[in-house]
Amino acid sequence: MSTRLLIVLLSLALGVVSGAFGYSLIAGKRQAAALAAAREEGRKAAEKAMADDMAALKPVSFAKTADAESKAGGVQFGYEYVKPKNAELEPYYKLAHDTDMLRHIPEVQAIDGMLMLPRPINYVTAECGEVNAFYSPERNEVVMCYETMKVLEQRGRELAAHNKLPDTYAQQYLDANFRFILLHETGHALITLLEIPITGREEDAVDQLATTLMLRFAGLNESTSTVTENLRMASNWFLARSTGEYNLDAYADQHALGEQRYFNLQCLLYGSDPARYLSIVTDGDLPESRAQGCPEESRRISSSWLRLLLPYVAPKYEMTEEKANRLFKQREIERVRNTDSSYIR
């Protein structure tokens, strides 16, 4: 092969390689530009989706109307006491039925008929064959089992005997936990029915709702000490069911450990009014290191649940978050005044 021909072939080869390299650079730049554009579009879409989601969580301001009484109310709850087949559970059926326990939960009565639900929540006491309480999405029922009532009463009697408390303590313990547990299950019902967005464990969220409701909607005849004692008895039940020794299943469970649920409840109670509930810290029920952040934690949780539920308040009760907080404050003032008022017997 002549030298001239070799030079020509090498020149052609170099041209092909250079062209391919140049094309790859151009293609690479185009690909990078396209990728950057796609990322930018994706970022904008994600930001818009997030903005839409956050907008749904903002407090909804409803116009105040003068004809509120003529406007639609919310969905009414149902209540039922199912007679047990097990004779040992008959006393708990009679207790629930004869005293109408379900209708005497102040927090449930406060929201009964207030929310626009797709269908009613039915509260039921029944024999279950096990110690349990649950929300059934299929039947839309919040169920308290007589077996649970029996165990709660027994636990109350044990505490009363151990601490030399009045005989009435067992019933108070049962009532307080009956109340908290049903409010906990009500939280599951509301999350399901209203498709409320929850981040984190749902069990933690409904514990927070139950505590918030007991703080916000305590009976007007209940003193601060009564509210505190009710929540403390509820938190005691968390500890009563804890062994202190856990396996992998316990750590993986959808519920937090009993000790964690106990301190979370104490934190929300203390944080709702640090001056009023200071004894929770001074008595050693809540470490100071945790207590420091509880006021903000309690405020944030209470505000979050209020914002999540306000959009579903029936037209008859429509209100802004500001108005709701004023009503809660007024209710608290009235409750304190009622419990401190004297009368002649």
Side-chain angles (χ1 to χ4, degrees):
M1 183 181 294
S2 66
T3 302
R4 180 177 294 179
L5 180 59
L6 181 60
I7 292 173
V8 171
L9 291 174
L10 288 173
S11 298
L12 289 173
L14 182 60
V16 170
V17 172
S18 298
F21 180 70
Y23 175 78
S24 66
L25 287 176
I26 295 172
K29 289 181 179 179
R30 288 177 178 173
Q31 187 176 12
L35 183 59
R39 285 175 176 169
E40 180 64 17
E41 290 180 7
R43 183 183 64 79
K44 290 180 179 179
E47 288 179 349
K48 183 179 184 303
M50 182 177 290
D52 291 342
D53 288 343
M54 292 305 293
L57 298 179
K58 291 180 180 178
V60 178
S61 296
F62 300 97
K64 184 177 180 181
T65 59
D67 58 343
E69 289 303 319
S70 65
K71 305 189 86 171
V75 175
Q76 297 289 328
F77 299 154
Y79 304 92
E80 182 182 6
Y81 303 95
V82 180
K83 191 175 179 62
K85 294 182 178 179
N86 185 344
E88 292 183 3
L89 300 176
E90 183 72 21
Y92 302 97
Y93 160 72
K94 286 184 63 62
L95 172 65
H97 177 272
D98 294 353
T99 62
D100 204 4
M101 287 181 72
L102 293 173
R103 287 188 177 87
H104 281 83
I105 301 176
E107 299 81 5
V108 171
Q109 294 307 303
I111 62 175
D112 189 354
M114 182 180 287
L115 300 173
M116 299 299 288
L117 302 172
R119 54 189 186 278
I121 298 174
N122 297 305
Y123 290 85
V124 179
T125 61
E127 177 181 350
C128 304
E130 62 178 350
V131 176
N132 199 6
F134 57 92
Y135 166 63
S136 169
E138 294 77 15
R139 299 188 300 272
N140 210 44
E141 293 176 342
V142 169
V143 181
M144 168 61 75
C145 303
Y146 295 129
E147 292 87 345
T148 301
M149 294 176 63
K150 179 180 179 180
V151 171
L152 287 171
E153 186 189 40
Q154 290 173 344
R155 171 66 178 172
R157 291 187 185 282
E158 292 170 1
L159 289 172
H162 183 267
N163 298 304
K164 298 181 180 179
L165 299 171
D167 294 338
T168 56
Y169 183 83
Q171 183 63 49
Q172 293 170 354
Y173 189 87
L174 168 59
D175 290 342
N177 280 283
F178 183 95
R179 185 170 171 177
F180 185 90
I181 291 170
L182 284 182
L183 292 175
H184 173 101
E185 299 304 331
T186 298
H188 286 303
L190 293 176
I191 288 173
T192 300
L193 289 171
L194 301 177
E195 298 182 352
I196 293 175
I198 295 295
T199 61
R201 280 192 294 212
E202 184 173 319
E203 294 296 337
D204 291 342
V206 295
D207 269 357
Q208 294 164 359
L209 175 62
T211 305
T212 300
L213 287 174
M214 289 182 74
L215 288 170
R216 293 284 198 174
F217 290 109
L220 293 177
N221 62 338
E222 292 183 303
S223 66
T224 298
S225 60
T226 300
V227 174
T228 305
E229 187 61 20
N230 284 337
L231 285 168
R232 285 190 170 185
M233 285 189 280
S235 61
N236 174 274
W237 177 239
F238 297 152
L239 296 181
R241 302 171 67 192
S242 296
T243 63
E245 298 179 0
Y246 302 105
N247 56 23
L248 192 60
D249 289 339
Y251 288 113
D253 192 77
Q254 58 187 335
H255 294 86
L257 300 178
E259 292 85 350
Q260 291 175 309
R261 297 178 74 186
Y262 172 85
F263 286 115
N264 287 341
L265 194 156
Q266 300 299 320
C267 180
L268 293 182
L269 178 57
Y270 168 73
S272 68
D273 193 334
R276 178 178 296 175
Y277 299 116
L278 181 61
S279 62
I280 293 177
V281 180
T282 57
D283 290 348
D285 291 325
L286 183 67
E288 290 186 22
S289 57
R290 174 70 186 277
Q292 292 176 359
C294 290
E296 173 59 22
E297 184 175 337
S298 182
R299 183 205 63 77
R300 186 176 64 251
I301 288 172
S302 178
S303 177
S304 296
W305 269 108
L306 182 59
R307 292 183 179 194
L308 288 169
L309 293 177
L310 268 180
Y312 304 100
V313 172
K316 183 177 181 179
Y317 305 101
E318 57 192 10
M319 65 186 72
T320 62
E321 183 180 0
E322 181 182 1
K323 180 181 177 182
N325 282 319
R326 286 201 307 269
L327 290 175
F328 288 140
K329 186 64 176 177
Q330 181 59 38
R331 182 182 176 88
E332 173 68 9
I333 293 172
E334 184 177 352
R335 186 170 62 81
V336 172
R337 184 177 66 244
N338 287 349
T339 55
D340 291 341
S341 298
S342 60
Y343 62 95
I344 300 174
R345 296 183 66 90

